[in-house]
Amino acid sequence: MIDQRKVSVVIPCYNESEGIPKLYDALCQVFAQVTDVAFEVVCVDDGSRDDTLDKLVALAAKDHRFHIVELSRNFGKEAAMTAGIDESTGDAVIPFDADLQDPPELIPEMIRAWLGGAEVVLACRSNRAADSFMKRTTANAFYQFHNQVSSIKIPKNVGDFRLMDRIVVDALKQLPEHHRFMKGLFAWVGFKTVTIDYVRQVRSAGESKFSGWKLWNFAVEGFTSFSTAPLKFWSYVGAFGALATFIYAAIIVARTLIFGVDVPGYASLLVAILFFGSLQLISVGVLGEYIGRIYMETKNRPIYLVRKRHHQSAK
């Protein structure tokens, strides 16, 4: 007798209390449609400040498919997703957001593609009308710029929602870095991939946990994780500035020899000093981003800490 294959759905949760009942109902409806695989749901409470954890623990008490991982504090979504992937035991893993913007109804189609031989099944947002104009614009700019400067190409409009075979998950678990940009790591490991299009929905409840500042820092994390182009860019700026300075100095010398000494221009001198001083500060800041990453990696702290696990055994 062949054991039934199992799919793990990994859900990072942070202050998602309002949406937990809808999430549970939606997942149960989808699970009832798929009879050829078993399911487990690994919910990671990332230090929620509301009663998200209590509701998750209640789900685990009544449904043995739900396993709750309680982190010791808020470590961030990337760390919580890593914890869920590490805890999962399925033959395939599906990271999924608790806000239901990614439709769980797509899961059966992803499983069919996986059973058909795909090792990674990407869910691509064909329509992002549910997102604000600013979010769509900045997201497009991020994908275009990142894929220009990095050798690792991130599929456009593809988030964390995807299915990964166990072989892909095992490959991800070999990556030791502590500052984790999961979209980049997913793309880096590769494997046989197919894509399914879908329309992104509005949040079922609650508010987004990503402010504009957090999204900016997330983008910087992506750029510095998979590209050294920013460092090279400032090398080119420095070289161009040195060349321009040499040419301008030659012009000044020639003009002085021909026309004599001009009255110094204090305003232009001040502008030049401020301009090049600002460039130096920016370049030092870019260098600091990389040095900071090296510093944090050398500490070798764990990506997350688990306070407690909540689950019941299958009857």
Side-chain angles (χ1 to χ4, degrees), residues 41-88:
V41 183
V42 181
C43 296
V44 181
D45 180 70
D46 188 25
S48 296
R49 298 182 179 181
D50 58 10
D51 61 345
T52 296
L53 178 61
D54 294 335
K55 291 185 176 181
L56 291 175
V57 172
L59 290 184
K62 73 175 183 180
D63 192 329
H64 70 269
R65 296 173 298 186
F66 281 73
H67 304 266
I68 313 305
V69 180
E70 178 187 353
L71 300 187
S72 62
R73 63 171 177 83
N74 178 251
F75 287 88
K77 183 182 178 182
E78 307 297 284
M81 191 186 309
T82 300
I85 291 174
D86 290 345
E87 294 282 333
S88 66

Short mmCIF file of all heavy atoms in Angstrom, two decimals, residues 41-88:
data_model
loop_
_atom_site.label_atom_id
_atom_site.label_comp_id
_atom_site.label_asym_id
_atom_site.label_seq_id
_atom_site.Cartn_x
_atom_site.Cartn_y
_atom_site.Cartn_z
N VAL A 41 -1.48 22.15 8.14
CA VAL A 41 -1.37 23.60 8.11
C VAL A 41 -0.45 24.02 9.25
O VAL A 41 -0.75 23.77 10.41
CB VAL A 41 -2.75 24.29 8.25
CG1 VAL A 41 -2.59 25.80 8.15
CG2 VAL A 41 -3.71 23.78 7.18
N VAL A 42 0.66 24.65 8.88
CA VAL A 42 1.63 25.13 9.87
C VAL A 42 1.45 26.64 9.99
O VAL A 42 1.84 27.39 9.09
CB VAL A 42 3.07 24.79 9.48
CG1 VAL A 42 4.04 25.29 10.55
CG2 VAL A 42 3.23 23.29 9.26
N CYS A 43 0.84 27.08 11.08
CA CYS A 43 0.62 28.50 11.33
C CYS A 43 1.70 28.99 12.30
O CYS A 43 1.88 28.42 13.37
CB CYS A 43 -0.76 28.75 11.93
SG CYS A 43 -2.13 28.31 10.83
N VAL A 44 2.40 30.03 11.91
CA VAL A 44 3.47 30.57 12.74
C VAL A 44 3.01 31.91 13.31
O VAL A 44 2.80 32.87 12.55
CB VAL A 44 4.77 30.75 11.92
CG1 VAL A 44 5.88 31.29 12.82
CG2 VAL A 44 5.19 29.44 11.28
N ASP A 45 2.83 31.97 14.62
CA ASP A 45 2.47 33.24 15.26
C ASP A 45 3.74 34.04 15.50
O ASP A 45 4.59 33.66 16.32
CB ASP A 45 1.74 32.99 16.57
CG ASP A 45 1.36 34.31 17.24
OD1 ASP A 45 0.48 35.00 16.72
OD2 ASP A 45 1.98 34.65 18.27
N ASP A 46 3.86 35.15 14.80
CA ASP A 46 5.08 35.95 14.83
C ASP A 46 4.97 37.07 15.86
O ASP A 46 5.08 38.25 15.55
CB ASP A 46 5.33 36.52 13.43
CG ASP A 46 6.69 37.20 13.30
OD1 ASP A 46 7.60 36.84 14.06
OD2 ASP A 46 6.82 38.08 12.44
N GLY A 47 4.72 36.67 17.12
CA GLY A 47 4.65 37.65 18.20
C GLY A 47 3.45 38.57 18.12
O GLY A 47 3.57 39.78 18.39
N SER A 48 2.28 38.04 17.75
CA SER A 48 1.08 38.87 17.62
C SER A 48 0.73 39.53 18.95
O SER A 48 0.92 38.96 20.02
CB SER A 48 -0.10 38.01 17.16
OG SER A 48 0.14 37.50 15.86
N ARG A 49 0.17 40.75 18.85
CA ARG A 49 -0.20 41.50 20.05
C ARG A 49 -1.70 41.43 20.33
O ARG A 49 -2.16 41.94 21.35
CB ARG A 49 0.23 42.96 19.90
CG ARG A 49 1.74 43.12 19.76
CD ARG A 49 2.14 44.57 19.67
NE ARG A 49 3.60 44.73 19.56
CZ ARG A 49 4.22 45.89 19.48
NH1 ARG A 49 3.51 47.03 19.49
NH2 ARG A 49 5.54 45.94 19.38
N ASP A 50 -2.47 40.83 19.44
CA ASP A 50 -3.89 40.63 19.69
C ASP A 50 -4.11 39.17 20.09
O ASP A 50 -3.20 38.51 20.56
CB ASP A 50 -4.72 41.05 18.47
CG ASP A 50 -4.32 40.28 17.21
OD1 ASP A 50 -3.54 39.30 17.33
OD2 ASP A 50 -4.79 40.63 16.12
N ASP A 51 -5.33 38.67 19.89
CA ASP A 51 -5.61 37.29 20.30
C ASP A 51 -5.47 36.29 19.15
O ASP A 51 -6.13 35.26 19.14
CB ASP A 51 -7.01 37.19 20.92
CG ASP A 51 -8.11 37.59 19.94
OD1 ASP A 51 -7.79 38.21 18.90
OD2 ASP A 51 -9.28 37.30 20.21
N THR A 52 -4.60 36.63 18.18
CA THR A 52 -4.35 35.70 17.07
C THR A 52 -3.90 34.34 17.57
O THR A 52 -4.40 33.30 17.12
CB THR A 52 -3.29 36.29 16.12
OG1 THR A 52 -3.78 37.48 15.52
CG2 THR A 52 -2.93 35.30 15.03
N LEU A 53 -2.96 34.32 18.49
CA LEU A 53 -2.43 33.06 19.00
C LEU A 53 -3.53 32.22 19.65
O LEU A 53 -3.59 31.00 19.43
CB LEU A 53 -1.29 33.31 19.98
CG LEU A 53 -0.67 32.06 20.62
CD1 LEU A 53 -0.07 31.15 19.56
CD2 LEU A 53 0.38 32.46 21.66
N ASP A 54 -4.39 32.84 20.44
CA ASP A 54 -5.46 32.11 21.11
C ASP A 54 -6.38 31.44 20.09
O ASP A 54 -6.79 30.28 20.26
CB ASP A 54 -6.27 33.04 22.01
CG ASP A 54 -5.44 33.58 23.18
OD1 ASP A 54 -4.47 32.89 23.55
OD2 ASP A 54 -5.77 34.66 23.68
N LYS A 55 -6.70 32.16 19.02
CA LYS A 55 -7.58 31.59 18.00
C LYS A 55 -6.88 30.46 17.24
O LYS A 55 -7.52 29.46 16.87
CB LYS A 55 -8.04 32.68 17.05
CG LYS A 55 -8.99 33.69 17.68
CD LYS A 55 -9.53 34.69 16.67
CE LYS A 55 -10.55 35.62 17.33
NZ LYS A 55 -11.11 36.60 16.38
N LEU A 56 -5.60 30.61 17.01
CA LEU A 56 -4.86 29.56 16.32
C LEU A 56 -4.77 28.30 17.19
O LEU A 56 -4.94 27.17 16.69
CB LEU A 56 -3.46 30.04 15.96
CG LEU A 56 -3.36 31.13 14.89
CD1 LEU A 56 -1.92 31.58 14.72
CD2 LEU A 56 -3.92 30.64 13.55
N VAL A 57 -4.51 28.49 18.46
CA VAL A 57 -4.44 27.35 19.38
C VAL A 57 -5.78 26.63 19.44
O VAL A 57 -5.85 25.40 19.50
CB VAL A 57 -3.98 27.81 20.78
CG1 VAL A 57 -4.10 26.67 21.79
CG2 VAL A 57 -2.55 28.33 20.74
N ALA A 58 -6.87 27.40 19.41
CA ALA A 58 -8.21 26.80 19.41
C ALA A 58 -8.43 25.97 18.14
O ALA A 58 -9.06 24.89 18.20
CB ALA A 58 -9.28 27.89 19.53
N LEU A 59 -7.91 26.42 17.01
CA LEU A 59 -8.02 25.65 15.78
C LEU A 59 -7.26 24.33 15.90
O LEU A 59 -7.74 23.28 15.48
CB LEU A 59 -7.47 26.45 14.59
CG LEU A 59 -8.27 27.66 14.11
CD1 LEU A 59 -7.60 28.26 12.87
CD2 LEU A 59 -9.70 27.29 13.80
N ALA A 60 -6.05 24.41 16.46
CA ALA A 60 -5.26 23.19 16.61
C ALA A 60 -5.93 22.20 17.54
O ALA A 60 -5.79 20.98 17.37
CB ALA A 60 -3.87 23.55 17.14
N ALA A 61 -6.69 22.71 18.52
CA ALA A 61 -7.35 21.81 19.48
C ALA A 61 -8.51 21.05 18.85
O ALA A 61 -8.81 19.93 19.26
CB ALA A 61 -7.86 22.62 20.67
N LYS A 62 -9.13 21.64 17.82
CA LYS A 62 -10.29 20.98 17.21
C LYS A 62 -9.96 20.32 15.87
O LYS A 62 -10.77 19.54 15.36
CB LYS A 62 -11.43 21.97 17.04
CG LYS A 62 -11.24 23.01 15.94
CD LYS A 62 -12.50 23.86 15.77
CE LYS A 62 -12.36 24.85 14.64
NZ LYS A 62 -13.58 25.69 14.47
N ASP A 63 -8.82 20.64 15.29
CA ASP A 63 -8.49 20.08 13.97
C ASP A 63 -7.02 19.65 14.00
O ASP A 63 -6.12 20.49 14.09
CB ASP A 63 -8.72 21.14 12.88
CG ASP A 63 -8.69 20.56 11.47
OD1 ASP A 63 -7.96 19.56 11.26
OD2 ASP A 63 -9.38 21.09 10.59
N HIS A 64 -6.78 18.34 13.91
CA HIS A 64 -5.42 17.82 14.04
C HIS A 64 -4.52 18.22 12.88
O HIS A 64 -3.29 18.05 12.96
CB HIS A 64 -5.45 16.29 14.17
CG HIS A 64 -5.85 15.61 12.89
ND1 HIS A 64 -7.17 15.31 12.59
CD2 HIS A 64 -5.12 15.18 11.84
CE1 HIS A 64 -7.22 14.71 11.42
NE2 HIS A 64 -5.99 14.61 10.94
N ARG A 65 -5.10 18.72 11.80
CA ARG A 65 -4.28 19.14 10.67
C ARG A 65 -3.53 20.44 10.94
O ARG A 65 -2.58 20.77 10.22
CB ARG A 65 -5.15 19.30 9.42
CG ARG A 65 -5.79 18.02 8.94
CD ARG A 65 -6.77 18.27 7.82
NE ARG A 65 -7.89 19.13 8.23
CZ ARG A 65 -8.94 19.42 7.47
NH1 ARG A 65 -9.01 18.93 6.24
NH2 ARG A 65 -9.90 20.20 7.92
N PHE A 66 -3.93 21.18 11.96
CA PHE A 66 -3.33 22.48 12.25
C PHE A 66 -2.25 22.34 13.32
O PHE A 66 -2.48 21.79 14.39
CB PHE A 66 -4.40 23.47 12.71
CG PHE A 66 -5.19 24.06 11.57
CD1 PHE A 66 -6.14 23.29 10.90
CD2 PHE A 66 -4.99 25.36 11.15
CE1 PHE A 66 -6.86 23.81 9.85
CE2 PHE A 66 -5.71 25.89 10.10
CZ PHE A 66 -6.65 25.11 9.44
N HIS A 67 -1.07 22.85 13.00
CA HIS A 67 0.07 22.87 13.92
C HIS A 67 0.49 24.32 14.11
O HIS A 67 0.75 25.03 13.13
CB HIS A 67 1.24 22.05 13.36
CG HIS A 67 0.87 20.64 13.02
ND1 HIS A 67 1.05 19.60 13.90
CD2 HIS A 67 0.32 20.11 11.91
CE1 HIS A 67 0.62 18.47 13.33
NE2 HIS A 67 0.18 18.76 12.13
N ILE A 68 0.55 24.76 15.33
CA ILE A 68 0.84 26.15 15.63
C ILE A 68 2.25 26.26 16.20
O ILE A 68 2.60 25.59 17.17
CB ILE A 68 -0.18 26.73 16.64
CG1 ILE A 68 -1.61 26.36 16.22
CG2 ILE A 68 0.01 28.24 16.76
CD1 ILE A 68 -1.98 26.76 14.82
N VAL A 69 3.03 27.13 15.60
CA VAL A 69 4.39 27.41 16.08
C VAL A 69 4.37 28.83 16.64
O VAL A 69 4.12 29.80 15.92
CB VAL A 69 5.43 27.29 14.95
CG1 VAL A 69 6.82 27.61 15.48
CG2 VAL A 69 5.38 25.91 14.33
N GLU A 70 4.64 28.96 17.92
CA GLU A 70 4.64 30.26 18.59
C GLU A 70 6.08 30.74 18.74
O GLU A 70 6.87 30.13 19.45
CB GLU A 70 3.97 30.13 19.96
CG GLU A 70 3.95 31.43 20.75
CD GLU A 70 3.42 31.23 22.16
OE1 GLU A 70 2.95 30.12 22.47
OE2 GLU A 70 3.51 32.19 22.96
N LEU A 71 6.42 31.84 18.05
CA LEU A 71 7.75 32.41 18.18
C LEU A 71 7.86 33.24 19.45
O LEU A 71 6.87 33.71 19.99
CB LEU A 71 8.08 33.27 16.95
CG LEU A 71 8.06 32.56 15.59
CD1 LEU A 71 8.57 33.49 14.50
CD2 LEU A 71 8.86 31.27 15.60
N SER A 72 9.08 33.42 19.93
CA SER A 72 9.28 34.10 21.21
C SER A 72 8.99 35.59 21.14
O SER A 72 8.74 36.23 22.16
CB SER A 72 10.71 33.87 21.69
OG SER A 72 11.65 34.43 20.78
N ARG A 73 9.04 36.16 19.93
CA ARG A 73 8.75 37.58 19.71
C ARG A 73 8.49 37.77 18.22
O ARG A 73 8.48 36.80 17.46
CB ARG A 73 9.90 38.47 20.17
CG ARG A 73 11.21 38.24 19.40
CD ARG A 73 12.24 39.29 19.77
NE ARG A 73 13.52 39.08 19.11
CZ ARG A 73 13.82 39.48 17.87
NH1 ARG A 73 12.89 40.10 17.14
NH2 ARG A 73 15.01 39.25 17.35
N ASN A 74 8.32 39.02 17.83
CA ASN A 74 8.13 39.33 16.41
C ASN A 74 9.50 39.37 15.70
O ASN A 74 10.32 40.23 15.98
CB ASN A 74 7.42 40.67 16.25
CG ASN A 74 7.24 41.07 14.80
OD1 ASN A 74 7.89 42.00 14.32
ND2 ASN A 74 6.39 40.38 14.09
N PHE A 75 9.72 38.41 14.81
CA PHE A 75 10.97 38.34 14.06
C PHE A 75 10.81 38.84 12.62
O PHE A 75 11.80 38.95 11.91
CB PHE A 75 11.49 36.90 14.02
CG PHE A 75 12.07 36.43 15.33
CD1 PHE A 75 11.26 35.85 16.29
CD2 PHE A 75 13.42 36.57 15.58
CE1 PHE A 75 11.80 35.41 17.50
CE2 PHE A 75 13.97 36.14 16.79
CZ PHE A 75 13.16 35.57 17.75
N GLY A 76 9.59 39.10 12.18
CA GLY A 76 9.36 39.53 10.81
C GLY A 76 8.86 38.38 9.95
O GLY A 76 9.05 37.21 10.25
N LYS A 77 8.21 38.75 8.85
CA LYS A 77 7.55 37.75 8.01
C LYS A 77 8.53 36.74 7.41
O LYS A 77 8.24 35.54 7.33
CB LYS A 77 6.77 38.44 6.88
CG LYS A 77 6.01 37.45 6.01
CD LYS A 77 5.28 38.13 4.87
CE LYS A 77 4.57 37.10 3.99
NZ LYS A 77 3.88 37.72 2.84
N GLU A 78 9.70 37.22 6.98
CA GLU A 78 10.66 36.31 6.34
C GLU A 78 11.13 35.24 7.32
O GLU A 78 11.24 34.06 6.97
CB GLU A 78 11.86 37.10 5.80
CG GLU A 78 11.50 38.26 4.91
CD GLU A 78 10.80 37.85 3.64
OE1 GLU A 78 11.46 37.34 2.73
OE2 GLU A 78 9.57 38.04 3.55
N ALA A 79 11.37 35.64 8.56
CA ALA A 79 11.79 34.67 9.58
C ALA A 79 10.64 33.72 9.92
O ALA A 79 10.85 32.51 10.11
CB ALA A 79 12.26 35.40 10.83
N ALA A 80 9.42 34.27 10.03
CA ALA A 80 8.26 33.42 10.35
C ALA A 80 8.01 32.41 9.24
O ALA A 80 7.68 31.25 9.50
CB ALA A 80 7.02 34.29 10.57
N MET A 81 8.17 32.84 8.00
CA MET A 81 7.99 31.90 6.89
C MET A 81 9.07 30.82 6.91
O MET A 81 8.79 29.64 6.66
CB MET A 81 8.04 32.66 5.56
CG MET A 81 7.60 31.84 4.36
SD MET A 81 7.82 32.72 2.79
CE MET A 81 7.02 34.27 3.17
N THR A 82 10.28 31.21 7.25
CA THR A 82 11.36 30.24 7.37
C THR A 82 11.06 29.22 8.46
O THR A 82 11.28 28.01 8.28
CB THR A 82 12.69 30.96 7.69
OG1 THR A 82 13.00 31.88 6.64
CG2 THR A 82 13.82 29.97 7.83
N ALA A 83 10.52 29.70 9.58
CA ALA A 83 10.15 28.79 10.67
C ALA A 83 9.09 27.80 10.22
O ALA A 83 9.17 26.60 10.52
CB ALA A 83 9.65 29.59 11.87
N GLY A 84 8.08 28.28 9.49
CA GLY A 84 7.03 27.39 9.01
C GLY A 84 7.55 26.36 8.03
O GLY A 84 7.16 25.19 8.08
N ILE A 85 8.44 26.78 7.15
CA ILE A 85 9.02 25.84 6.18
C ILE A 85 9.87 24.80 6.90
O ILE A 85 9.83 23.60 6.56
CB ILE A 85 9.85 26.62 5.14
CG1 ILE A 85 8.92 27.44 4.24
CG2 ILE A 85 10.69 25.66 4.29
CD1 ILE A 85 9.65 28.36 3.27
N ASP A 86 10.62 25.23 7.91
CA ASP A 86 11.44 24.29 8.68
C ASP A 86 10.56 23.28 9.42
O ASP A 86 10.94 22.11 9.58
CB ASP A 86 12.31 25.04 9.68
CG ASP A 86 13.43 25.84 9.00
OD1 ASP A 86 13.69 25.57 7.82
OD2 ASP A 86 14.01 26.71 9.66
N GLU A 87 9.40 23.72 9.90
CA GLU A 87 8.53 22.85 10.69
C GLU A 87 7.68 21.91 9.82
O GLU A 87 7.19 20.90 10.29
CB GLU A 87 7.58 23.69 11.55
CG GLU A 87 8.27 24.50 12.64
CD GLU A 87 8.65 23.66 13.84
OE1 GLU A 87 7.98 22.64 14.10
OE2 GLU A 87 9.62 24.03 14.54
N SER A 88 7.52 22.24 8.57
CA SER A 88 6.65 21.46 7.69
C SER A 88 7.20 20.08 7.43
O SER A 88 8.42 19.87 7.39
CB SER A 88 6.45 22.20 6.36
OG SER A 88 7.68 22.28 5.65
#
